[in-house]
């Protein structure tokens, strides 16, 4: 076998092994997190603090993103439907697009970029300064103390942020529909209520639960394996944002297929 093919296979094998090791590490951390979530003592205060960091402080960026998306969707949809005299269906298309896809996806990407990197930077800094080792030396469990509150808070907060994004985005579409195309708010609202089903809303909520878990668990794991001082912390935050974004975009396809079964 030529030498260049040997090097190629060795390189692919090394990357494959690294990928499987990463998946295994995240999976083990997820299992430990699940176990310690339901074991005493319950640190409710830490969960509330993380809900404030992940949820309340993300409202502005999520709201702005959803508002812009809803307005653009209404603008593009109305121009397209206007060719067929079907502008009255703008509210239906905007609401379905936001509730099923754009709301969960954009919310997760915005929160993942902001919160995922923050979690990694915080835990990574603790790791490189040996604070996590100090927690272990004191007899405490770092998964229970650091990971569980963040994962729990992300799972609880992402659905609420997604609903907030849906409402803001649909409202933005309604404003554009009235200002630009003369569609009355009542007609817009009536079309949304008439065609939007509870299964559509639950589909977006189900996706956001998974996305919240992914953002928190990847951020925590990447932080706990950080090494190399401040440079390592910066590299880990970049890896977290890229990994979270890729997982969200890929898993969205399979989650969409799954929820269309119901």
């Amino acid at each position: 076998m030529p030498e260049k093919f040997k090097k190629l296979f060795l390189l692919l094998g090394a990357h494959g092994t690294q990928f499987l090791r990463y998946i295994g590490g995240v999976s083990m951390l997820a299992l430990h997190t699940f176990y310690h979530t339901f074991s005493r003592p319950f640190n409710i205060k830490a969960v509330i603090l993380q809900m404030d960091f992940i949820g309340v402080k993300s409202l502005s960026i999520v709201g702005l993103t959803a508002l812009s998306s809803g307005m653009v969707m209404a603008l593009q949809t109305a121009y397209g439907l206007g060719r067929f005299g079907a502008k009255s269906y703008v509210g239906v298309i905007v609401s379905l697009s936001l509730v099923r896809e754009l709301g969960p996806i954009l919310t997760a990407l915005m929160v993942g970029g902001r919160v995922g990197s923050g979690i990694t930077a915080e835990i990574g800094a603790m790791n490189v300064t040996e604070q996590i080792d100090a927690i272990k030396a004191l007899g405490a469990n770092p998964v229970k103390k650091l990971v569980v509150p963040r994962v729990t808070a992300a799972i609880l907060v992402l659905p609420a942020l997604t609903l907030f994004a849906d409402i803001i985005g649909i409202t933005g579409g309604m404003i554009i529909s009235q200002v630009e195309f003369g569609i009355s708010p009542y007609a817009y609202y009536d079309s949304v209520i008439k065609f939007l089903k509870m299964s559509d809303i639950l589909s977006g909520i189900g996706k956001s639960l998974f996305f919240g878990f992914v953002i928190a668990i990847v951020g925590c794991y990447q932080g706990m394996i950080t090494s190399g001082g401040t440079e390592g912390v910066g590299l880990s935050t970049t890896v977290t944002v890229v990994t979270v974004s890729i997982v969200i975009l890929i898993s969205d396809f399979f989650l969409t297929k799954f929820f269309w079964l119901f």
Side-chain angles (χ1 to χ4, degrees):
M1 181 181 293
E3 188 67 24
K4 60 180 180 180
F5 286 110
K6 289 183 180 180
K7 292 182 179 180
L8 177 61
F9 285 130
L10 288 174
L11 181 63
L12 291 175
H15 283 294
T17 303
Q18 185 180 6
F19 174 75
L20 292 176
R21 187 181 293 115
Y22 191 91
I23 295 296
V26 173
S27 300
M28 290 301 299
L29 179 61
L31 288 174
H32 290 155
T33 302
F34 181 79
Y35 172 77
H36 289 292
T37 298
F38 300 99
S39 63
R40 294 179 181 275
F42 303 114
N43 195 347
I44 305 299
K45 182 178 180 181
V47 174
I48 294 174
L49 288 175
Q50 290 301 319
M51 289 177 69
D52 174 69
F53 171 69
I54 298 172
V56 177
K57 294 181 179 178
S58 298
L59 284 174
S60 58
I61 187 172
V62 170
L64 182 61
T65 303
L67 180 64
S68 174
S69 300
M71 295 171 73
V72 171
M73 274 290 298
L75 200 61
Q76 297 283 17
T77 303
Y79 277 123
L81 293 178
R83 301 175 184 177
F84 308 99
K87 287 184 180 180
S88 59
Y89 291 99
V90 170
V92 180
I93 297 177
V94 171
S95 60
L96 282 175
S97 300
L98 284 168
V99 168
R100 277 195 166 269
E101 290 297 329
L102 291 180
I105 284 288
L106 293 177
T107 300
L109 290 176
M110 292 298 104
V111 174
R114 177 188 171 273
V115 173
S117 59
I119 290 174
T120 299
E122 185 179 1
I123 297 180
M126 295 178 67
N127 194 28
V128 298
T129 56
E130 300 181 351
Q131 294 181 52
I132 293 181
D133 293 333
I135 292 174
K136 295 178 182 177
L138 293 172
N141 190 310
V143 175
K144 178 74 173 177
K145 187 175 181 63
L146 300 176
V147 181
V148 170
R150 289 166 172 81
V151 172
T152 303
I155 293 175
L156 293 175
V157 162
L158 256 293
L161 284 175
T162 300
L163 284 175
F164 173 74
D166 293 340
I167 294 171
I168 295 296
I170 292 172
T171 303
M174 182 181 68
I175 294 172
I176 288 297
S177 298
Q178 181 184 17
V179 173
E180 293 288 333
F181 305 103
I183 301 174
S184 69
Y186 175 78
Y188 183 95
Y189 175 79
D190 183 64
S191 66
V192 171
I193 295 299
K194 185 179 297 184
F195 291 99
L196 194 65
K197 299 178 180 179
M198 183 58 66
S199 60
D200 300 321
I201 300 174
L202 293 178
S203 171
I205 297 300
K207 289 181 180 181
S208 64
L209 289 171
F210 177 78
F211 294 157
F213 173 77
V214 167
I215 291 169
I217 202 70
V218 171
C220 290
Y221 177 75
Q222 194 63 46
M224 297 186 79
I225 64 171
T226 297
S227 59
T230 55
E231 183 179 352
V233 173
L235 179 62
S236 289
T237 56
T238 302
V239 172
T240 295
V241 174
V242 173
T243 303
V244 165
S245 300
I246 291 174
V247 172
I248 288 172
L249 293 173
I250 292 176
S251 63
D252 177 64
F253 171 79
F254 297 100
L255 290 171
T256 300
K257 293 281 288 183
F258 173 76
F259 283 114
W260 271 117
L261 298 175
F262 302 96

